[in-house]
Amino acid sequence: MTDLFLMVGITQGKKEISSDQLVICGQCGSYGRYQVFVTFNQLLLFFIPCFRWGRKYYVQMSCCGTLYELDPEAGREIEQGTGRQIRQEDLRLISGRGNARKIRRCPSCGYQTDEDFDFCPKCGEKLD
């Protein structure tokens, strides 16, 4: 008599999708890139992915970490490498501004910074 040993599991996966679209962020106003990824559930048989379901596509801004859910059709096209550009109507805001800081401008020389300085590192004037 032979014993049958079967290893089956369900896990969540995440895969980054190549995208090099440069945009001005609607949340922080800086230049940033769309970082596209897909999440999914998968059935594993002996640690080999056999079946995936529940795909959701997301976009995270490289500048401030703002997270959007991406329209599934647009996500599939980008994943297939069609060269589709992401449009604003393809995105639904999930969490805004991420780890972005407020941009402060020196009243004297115009230097801009997002650091927590009390004085301008360029001219020494007190920042607002």
Side-chain angles (χ1 to χ4, degrees), residues 77-125:
E77 288 181 26
I78 293 166
E79 188 173 24
Q80 293 169 354
T82 62
R84 169 155 182 188
Q85 296 291 303
I86 298 170
R87 300 180 310 248
Q88 195 61 39
E89 57 266 19
D90 294 330
L91 301 173
R92 185 178 64 82
L93 182 64
I94 294 177
S95 65
R97 299 249 346 164
N99 58 4
R101 297 181 185 175
K102 180 181 175 187
I103 304 294
R104 296 168 53 198
R105 176 183 281 259
C106 175
S108 177
C109 70
Y111 180 80
Q112 294 182 6
T113 182
D114 66 347
E115 297 295 326
D116 293 330
F117 297 132
D118 290 330
F119 296 91
C120 176
K122 188 171 181 182
C123 72
E125 185 73 25

Side-chain angles (χ1 to χ4, degrees), residues 5-33:
F5 183 72
L6 184 64
M7 290 184 55
V8 177
I10 296 175
T11 64
Q12 291 183 327
K14 177 180 174 180
K15 177 181 152 192
E16 290 188 31
I17 301 171
S18 177
S19 175
D20 60 352
Q21 190 173 341
L22 183 65
V23 296
I24 296 176
C25 179
Q27 296 295 308
C28 72
S30 298
Y31 280 103
R33 293 195 181 280

